[in-house]
Amino acid sequence: MYMALSIKKTVDVDTAVQVALLNNRGLQASYANIGMNAAEVWQQMLPENPKVSIGILGIAHPELGLFRAVEGMIAANILSLATREKRVDIADTRFRQAQLKAAMATLTVAADTRRAWINAVSAFETVYYLNQGQAAADAASELAQKLGESGALNKAGQAREHAFYSELTGQKAEARLAAKLAKEELTRLMGLWGTDVDYFVPDRLTRLPSRLQTSNAIEGEALQKRIDLQIAKLELEALAKSYKLTDATRFVTDFEIIGGFEKERELNDDGDIESLTTPQIEFDLVIPIFDSGRPRLRKAELAYMQAANLLAEKAVNIRSEARSAYAGYRSSYDIARHYKNSVLPLRVKIEEEALLSYNGMITNTFELLADTRAKIGTLLQSVNAKRVFWLADANLNAAIYGGGTSVGGAGETMTPTSGGGGGH
């Protein structure tokens, strides 16, 4: 199945996740593992096929004709029938584990896509503000050149403004490249190609929420809902059942009962051919003289102990991940709101007052442009803070349900990336 996008369509985060879940081929491949494990359950439920052997002795006998004797045997594995229920139970556990692994893969793709969408939108929003900053730098550079020609500004002052303009031009080029790469990562996760890559992302990230998730019993919630922890529990369950099967077959690993007949033809004293049919029964088993099964049992014990320790370790790590994710979520929210409610209003107020002073001929043009540039810098920091919060929000959900928390976090710095929305 392939989900196409309308040309020039603006993709929101929910649409991006939906497209990724339908188009991502790696995810589709993981679903095939469910069918493979279902087939394994089916196969274990079927009795083992009997083995049939037929032997013909004395072919083209000079006196008896075509053959002298015929043997027919049929063998059934009794041990396989005795352990069938245990093997079906193990296969069923592996099947449930495969289902959870597919669910885990789905959550991972969804979380990675959400993070990629956040990075792409933030990147284009950053370029938008860099464009504003470059407009101010362009005006300052042009003014410096004119003042320099008139002798009102020395060469050091001119060079200072030209250098700022040049540096900002390089930063914007880097930001455009970062935005292009961020969008390409999103495209790759959505599995798009051809004309479907000509989509847009929004101009700006979503506003900060008015209310936050609570931290009440977040560790318990993560322990209850984390898919990878449930997979580890099923692994321990499957190994426990495998240990019981190994213990049941410790001494005798193969036991077959073989039944059949032997039909033999002979010449009697009168020269007539007589046939004699004899029933036969045999038992085929391995005698544990050298290998008593203890090494196999010990390996099964150690595999179980290993899985139990890994499960305990994962539980401890999940608790820590949940606490860390919430701490990053809460702190990044406070930082983002601080920029939005405190720092940005102050920068706007400074710029407004600078404009009034400039109109009143109290300050000069360069001071006004410097305040404008400072406000642009604060806007970029605010965008980065908002981006870090939404990444922390995605990581918090991943810490509770699964899907990884590798990208982004409180305190992460941001390289200026392009931001601009539709059309990018």
Side-chain angles (χ1 to χ4, degrees):
M1 179 182 293
Y2 179 79
M3 181 176 179
L5 291 177
S6 302
I7 297 178
K8 307 301 182 182
K9 176 182 175 62
T10 299
V11 178
D12 59 24
V13 63
D14 292 331
T15 301
V17 171
Q18 181 182 7
V19 172
L21 294 180
L22 289 174
N23 290 350
N24 192 285
R25 296 301 179 183
L27 182 59
Q28 299 301 320
S30 68
Y31 292 154
N33 197 39
I34 300 178
M36 294 169 61
N37 281 270
E40 178 66 21
V41 176
W42 182 18
Q43 183 177 10
Q44 294 298 337
M45 291 177 65
L46 298 175
E48 186 172 334
N49 292 329
K51 293 185 290 186
V52 177
S53 63
I54 298 176
I56 301 176
L57 306 176
I59 298 177
H61 193 278
E63 297 178 349
L64 300 177
L66 294 177
F67 61 91
R68 181 178 181 276
V70 176
E71 291 183 353
M73 308 295 290
I74 182 169
N77 195 324
I78 302 300
L79 189 63
S80 175
L81 293 174
T83 59
R84 173 173 168 268
E85 184 177 348
K86 287 185 174 65
R87 289 185 287 105
V88 171
D89 198 16
I90 294 172
D92 180 67
T93 303
R94 293 299 185 188
F95 171 68
R96 289 184 285 126
Q97 192 178 39
Q99 288 179 311
L100 289 179
K101 287 182 178 179
M104 185 67 179
T106 302
L107 289 174
T108 300
V109 170
D112 288 345
T113 304
R114 186 175 296 273
R115 297 184 189 106
W117 184 90
I118 293 169
N119 285 327
V121 175
S122 174
F124 285 110
E125 186 176 0
T126 299
V127 165
Y128 172 76
Y129 289 120
L130 283 175
N131 286 334
Q132 291 186 356
Q134 191 171 34
D138 186 32
S141 179
E142 184 178 354
L143 178 61
Q145 182 178 358
K146 291 181 179 179
L147 291 176
E149 293 173 353
S150 65
L153 184 66
N154 59 29
K155 291 184 178 181
Q158 297 178 54
R160 186 178 299 109
E161 298 302 327
H162 293 326
F164 176 75
Y165 175 80
S166 298
E167 290 170 356
L168 197 59
T169 300
Q171 291 176 8
K172 195 173 87 167
E174 292 176 356
R176 287 190 177 279
L177 174 60
K180 183 177 181 180
L181 295 178
K183 184 184 174 185
E184 190 59 42
E185 181 184 1
L186 177 61
T187 302
R188 183 166 56 253
L189 286 168
M190 290 194 295
L192 298 177
W193 55 279
T195 58
D196 290 332
V197 303
D198 297 328
Y199 64 90
F200 299 154
V201 293
D203 292 329
R204 296 182 182 182
L205 286 171
T206 309
R207 293 181 178 179
L208 298 175
S210 57
R211 301 177 62 182
L212 290 180
Q213 299 183 40
T214 61
S215 61
N216 296 334
I218 191 170
E219 293 180 39
E221 187 177 5
L223 289 174
Q224 182 181 4
K225 297 179 179 179
R226 276 286 286 264
I227 300 295
D228 52 343
L229 186 63
Q230 297 178 39
I231 293 172
K233 289 179 180 178
L234 284 177
E235 178 67 21
L236 186 65
E237 179 182 340
L239 288 174
K241 294 174 180 178
S242 297
Y243 173 77
K244 292 179 181 179
L245 178 61
T246 302
D247 188 37
T249 60
R250 173 184 172 183
F251 296 106
V252 179
T253 58
D254 193 14
F255 180 61
E256 291 183 339
I257 182 170
I258 305 170
F261 69 94
E262 180 182 18
K263 182 177 181 180
E264 187 175 4
R265 303 194 305 169
E266 294 182 352
L267 289 174
N268 58 22
D269 295 339
D270 298 331
D272 298 328
I273 298 176
E274 292 183 351
S275 297
L276 178 63
T277 301
T278 305
Q280 295 183 2
I281 186 169
E282 298 178 9
F283 296 96
D284 188 353
L285 70 156
V286 176
I287 301 176
I289 296 177
F290 304 108
D291 184 2
S292 64
R294 184 60 186 172
R296 291 189 298 111
L297 195 61
R298 182 58 177 165
K299 286 172 61 178
E301 290 175 356
L302 292 174
Y304 179 82
M305 292 173 59
Q306 182 186 50
N309 284 303
L310 290 176
L311 177 61
E313 181 190 34
K314 182 170 287 294
V316 172
N317 291 344
I318 285 175
R319 287 177 178 271
S320 176
E321 289 172 10
R323 294 193 301 268
S324 298
Y326 187 81
Y329 172 77
R330 180 72 218 190
S331 298
S332 61
Y333 179 79
D334 292 339
I335 294 171
R337 283 190 63 85
H338 175 70
Y339 274 102
K340 178 178 179 294
N341 297 335
S342 299
V343 182
L344 272 177
L346 287 174
R347 282 298 180 188
V348 172
K349 183 66 175 178
I350 290 172
E351 185 183 38
E352 291 174 351
E353 293 298 325
L355 182 60
L356 291 176
S357 298
Y358 175 76
N359 291 335
M361 303 184 70
I362 299 176
T363 58
N364 60 40
T365 304
F366 290 110
E367 291 177 349
L368 176 62
L369 292 174
D371 290 332
T372 301
R373 290 198 298 265
K375 189 191 79 170
I376 297 298
T378 302
L379 282 170
L380 294 178
Q381 292 176 324
S382 178
V383 170
N384 180 52
K386 187 165 58 171
R387 163 185 169 269
V388 170
F389 165 75
W390 284 116
L391 288 176
D393 177 73
N395 289 340
L396 179 61
N397 289 326
I400 294 175
Y401 298 99
T405 57
S406 58
V407 181
E412 180 187 0
T413 58
M414 176 179 176
T415 301
T417 49
S418 30
H424 296 279

